[in-house]
Amino acid sequence: MDLAFKPVDNAILTEYFTNIFRHGYIQVKGITLPKRFLDFHDVIKNFTVYDDDLWICSFPKSGTTWTQEMIWMIANDLNFEEGKKCMGDRFPFLDYEFLFDYTRVRDKIEAFDPPVYFEHSVNFIQNLRRPRLIKTHLPWFLLPEQIQSGEKRPKIIHIARNPRDVCLSYFHHCKLFEGYTSHLDHFTQLFLTGNGNEKMQIEVSAIHLCIVVSYAPYWTNVLSYWEKKSELNFLFLKFEELKSDLAGAIRRVATFLCKQLTDNEVSRLAAHLSFENMKTNKGTNYASLIDLHRRHNLVCEEGTFIRTGETGSYKLRYPQELSTQFDEWVKSGDVDHKMGY
């Protein structure tokens, strides 16, 4: 096995975060990923990239779907009718195939039939008509080699969010979507471990939670893109900026995509992107996929893919001690205060 790949063996993670479609975890260049990534590492490394691709890259639950919808609408001249199709079809998620291994599910459930853009996401994207829109949560150093080397220079948009809010949203997402079955305290410790705070790692080790969630460490992932933000083919956005000035963010993205929008079009798109609309929009709320998982008892959690879209909601859920630990973790992870969180 390549020395960059390290198997993960943790009793808590195994008990609460493995299931029929998630069989275990590995670390790849320090990033935690489902074990199935081993089958796709070389495929993604050698993935054919085109200069007219557009990639959105982010840590999970950073406002990715919100930003995807904005990008897709701008790139497709506000085609609201075509935008009713599922986001997975219009703006597919490269990673889905290694996040959810449906092999055992199909062996047990004959009627199980997810859309091809989920079950075979990598091949689906390879064969998309250009220009392609592609989503991933992988860090910069796990993107296709043609991007890392500069051989191809597709447009890349990164969306970042306060990690305190990310952690809370990611917890709910993993309960709803990925089969996580424990509580928020465990998840938060998993999130914080290995993200740059040695004191926290020692404390976590004492309760045998020496591991991190998929795509973490957070800072390793996000800062790998922050370092690229001055590149001409790169746009770095913050969730909080979209919340405070959505119209301004729409104009920034439009300029980056070399598109011109009238003031009326900006207003229409901002209304379309309201969280009330996003939650009820079948093209963005992944309701059909959530229903598929529930119908076949792959998960049992109630909830919606798009929850509140708020900033600072973590303050209502984290006790003071945990908030203090989070603050220390942010300072130690973002040592130069680059991100401002």
Side-chain angles (χ1 to χ4, degrees):
M1 180 182 291
D2 188 320
L3 292 178
F5 299 90
K6 296 181 180 180
V8 167
D9 183 15
N10 178 270
I12 299 295
L13 198 66
T14 300
E15 180 177 358
Y16 296 119
F17 216 166
T18 57
N19 46 56
I20 192 172
F21 55 76
R22 181 73 57 80
H23 312 145
Y25 297 85
I26 56 171
Q27 286 197 328
V28 187
K29 296 184 178 179
I31 294 292
T32 298
L33 291 168
K35 188 184 296 183
R36 183 167 163 84
F37 182 75
L38 284 172
D39 297 334
F40 291 90
H41 174 261
D42 288 341
V43 175
I44 292 175
K45 178 181 178 181
N46 298 312
F47 188 87
T48 299
V49 178
Y50 301 102
D51 286 322
D52 58 0
D53 286 344
L54 191 152
W55 291 64
I56 182 169
C57 307
S58 67
F59 194 86
K61 306 312 293 180
S62 296
T64 318
T65 304
W66 194 23
T67 311
Q68 277 180 277
E69 182 70 354
M70 179 196 301
I71 294 168
W72 190 92
M73 284 293 169
I74 294 172
N76 289 274
D77 302 319
L78 277 60
N79 189 337
F80 295 109
E81 186 62 32
E82 192 71 14
K84 292 178 181 178
K85 292 181 179 178
C86 179
M87 181 67 77
D89 190 5
R90 296 182 282 131
F91 201 146
F93 182 26
L94 181 72
D95 313 2
Y96 195 96
E97 194 167 356
F98 64 75
L99 281 178
F100 297 87
D101 182 359
Y102 289 141
T103 306
R104 296 180 190 175
V105 180
R106 282 195 169 280
D107 290 341
K108 291 188 175 184
I109 305 172
E110 184 177 348
F112 188 73
D113 190 25
V116 64
Y117 45 80
F118 290 130
E119 188 173 17
H120 302 293
S121 58
V122 176
N123 190 60
F124 179 81
I125 292 172
Q126 284 178 328
N127 294 314
L128 273 181
R129 184 178 63 184
R130 295 166 55 189
R132 306 177 304 183
L133 303 180
I134 304 169
K135 164 189 166 182
T136 184
H137 293 315
L138 292 171
W140 171 267
F141 49 83
L142 290 179
L143 292 182
E145 183 63 30
Q146 287 183 326
I147 294 178
Q148 293 186 57
S149 68
E151 178 184 346
K152 299 293 182 180
R153 294 182 60 81
K155 283 184 165 64
I156 297 175
I157 295 178
H158 183 89
I159 177 74
R161 186 182 187 185
N162 187 322
R164 303 168 182 85
D165 284 321
V166 166
C167 181
L168 181 58
S169 183
Y170 201 10
F171 162 71
H172 286 289
H173 172 88
C174 289
K175 293 275 285 185
L176 175 67
F177 230 165
E178 298 190 22
Y180 176 71
T181 57
S182 191
H183 47 70
L184 177 60
D185 288 350
H186 271 171
F187 189 88
T188 304
Q189 297 300 330
L190 293 172
F191 185 88
L192 292 174
T193 305
N195 280 272
N197 189 319
E198 294 181 2
K199 179 175 181 290
M200 175 65 73
Q201 291 179 45
I202 293 171
E203 293 173 354
V204 171
S205 296
I207 54 174
H208 309 292
L209 288 175
C210 239
I211 194 57
V212 289
V213 293
S214 293
Y215 298 107
Y218 171 90
W219 293 114
T220 303
N221 193 323
V222 173
L223 291 178
S224 73
Y225 288 100
W226 177 263
E227 300 300 331
K228 304 293 180 181
K229 65 183 177 62
S230 62
E231 300 289 331
L232 293 178
N233 65 319
F234 197 93
L235 179 63
F236 196 100
L237 300 171
K238 284 187 176 182
F239 180 91
E240 295 75 19
E241 294 170 348
L242 270 66
K243 288 291 293 183
S244 64
D245 183 12
L246 182 56
I250 290 171
R251 291 187 175 93
R252 284 185 65 195
V253 172
T255 298
F256 182 69
L257 299 183
C258 301
K259 292 280 189 175
Q260 292 186 343
L261 297 180
T262 65
D263 289 344
N264 181 57
E265 287 172 329
V266 170
S267 297
R268 288 176 62 206
L269 182 52
H272 174 75
L273 293 172
S274 71
F275 266 81
E276 292 76 13
N277 285 342
M278 292 285 290
K279 287 184 71 169
T280 58
N281 182 350
K282 293 182 180 180
T284 58
N285 64 15
Y286 291 100
S288 61
L289 187 60
I290 293 171
D291 179 66
L292 177 73
H293 280 194
R294 285 185 185 144
R295 191 167 66 248
H296 295 290
N297 298 314
L298 302 185
V299 296
C300 58
E301 188 74 12
E302 294 297 321
T304 57
F305 179 79
I306 297 173
R307 292 177 55 252
T308 64
E310 296 297 328
T311 58
S313 58
Y314 67 90
K315 297 175 184 177
L316 302 176
R317 295 294 303 274
Y318 296 161
Q320 184 57 49
E321 181 181 1
L322 181 56
S323 293
T324 300
Q325 289 177 337
F326 239 121
D327 289 343
E328 293 175 356
W329 170 84
V330 168
K331 290 178 183 177
S332 62
D334 187 13
V335 291
D336 296 323
H337 203 59
K338 298 175 182 177
M339 298 292 297
Y341 291 130

